[in-house]
């Protein structure tokens, strides 16, 4: 129930709720992965069920696909959609230029493909995700399993010449075994502390053999919607140069708030 939500979950919910205002009937919508994106999927599912909203959802992970189907959203593949009207997703960090770190949930590759195949990308996040400089959150890098330790060593050696504070990395684990992405790859989390030149780092990482993709999303996000525990939401449009805010009221809704699996 909404009354039982923590302040952080309230912030995620109001950001997701506000993002649904950008979704129109007939749209092809990229559906992000993670706890904040899960709120969005639930909100859109409620609109499909109660308001007759007709959309095609393109999920960025198997777990998002499962949730979308559970709430009644018509799920299709990106190949079927070919191009999307909008993608709405969360972020692990964003800066003042709306550059992002994503991939905390392990879906960065599909998330980046879907986001760049969209007319517009909207990020929904709580206020704690805003940073002056990217890098406090470990930067995920998806690598193929073959020779991953060699790839890791190459990355760490290359970081010496990069404008970053830290230069260590770790293989992401799932219990006692390596975490496996939907594409069957591993993830290296880079503990950088602060990234001075995110654009340069993104380009350098993706030139390395063994690296599939990195979690830096540069010049991809158009709008960020920031939620607060009070119910306030702030919308920043990087293209229009506008900032607006409003208050979203909480309404008790058993269907929306029950059994949400983050």
């Amino acid at each position: 129930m909404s009354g039982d939500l923590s302040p952080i979950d309230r912030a995620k919910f109001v950001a997701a709720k506000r993002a649904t205002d950008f979704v129109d009937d007939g749209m092809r919508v990229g559906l992000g992965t993670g706890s904040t994106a899960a709120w969005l999927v639930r909100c859109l599912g409620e609109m499909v069920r109660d308001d007759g909203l007709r959309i095609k959802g393109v999920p960025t992970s198997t777990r998002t696909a499962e949730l979308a189907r559970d709430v009644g959203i018509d799920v299709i593949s990106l190949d079927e959609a070919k191009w999307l009207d909008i993608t709405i997703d969360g972020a692990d960090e964003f800066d003042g230029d709306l550059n992002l770190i994503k991939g905390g949930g392990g879906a960065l590759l599909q998330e980046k493909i879907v986001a760049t195949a969209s007319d517009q990308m909207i990020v929904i996040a709580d206020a704690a995700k805003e940073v002056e400089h990217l890098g406090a959150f470990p930067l995920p890098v998806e690598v193929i399993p073959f020779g991953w330790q060699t790839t890791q060593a190459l990355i760490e050696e290359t970081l010496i010449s990069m404008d970053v504070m830290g230069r260590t990395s770790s293989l992401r684990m799932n219990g006692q075994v390596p975490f496996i992405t939907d594409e069957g790859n591993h993830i290296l989390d880079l503990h950088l502390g602060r990234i001075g030149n995110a654009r340069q780092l993104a380009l350098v990482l993706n030139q390395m053999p063994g690296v599939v993709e990195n979690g830096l999303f540069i010049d991809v996000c158009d709008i960020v919607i920031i939620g607060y525990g009070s119910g306030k939401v702030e919308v920043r449009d990087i293209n229009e140069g506008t900032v607006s805010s409003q208050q979203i009221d909480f309404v008790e809704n058993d269907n929306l708030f029950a059994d949400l699996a983050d």
Side-chain angles (χ1 to χ4, degrees), residues 211-243:
V211 171
V212 180
E213 188 54 83
N214 71 83
L216 286 166
F217 284 52
I218 310 299
D219 298 333
V220 176
C221 176
D222 299 291
I223 294 173
V224 63
I225 301 177
I226 307 165
Y228 296 82
S230 63
K232 173 188 171 183
V233 288
E234 181 177 289
V235 179
R236 300 181 193 172
D237 188 321
I238 192 78
N239 299 314
E240 298 295 332
T242 58
V243 179

Side-chain angles (χ1 to χ4, degrees), residues 143-169:
V143 299
I144 65 170
F146 176 79
W148 72 265
Q149 290 176 307
T150 300
T151 304
Q152 181 183 31
L154 179 61
I155 289 173
E156 291 185 350
E157 182 179 352
T158 302
L159 289 175
I160 296 173
S161 62
M162 295 288 102
D163 184 9
V164 295
M165 288 181 61
R167 297 178 178 85
T168 61
S169 65

Side-chain angles (χ1 to χ4, degrees), residues 2-17:
S2 60
D4 297 327
L5 292 180
S6 67
I8 192 73
D9 281 331
R10 283 174 173 259
K12 293 176 180 180
F13 166 69
V14 294
K17 188 68 172 176

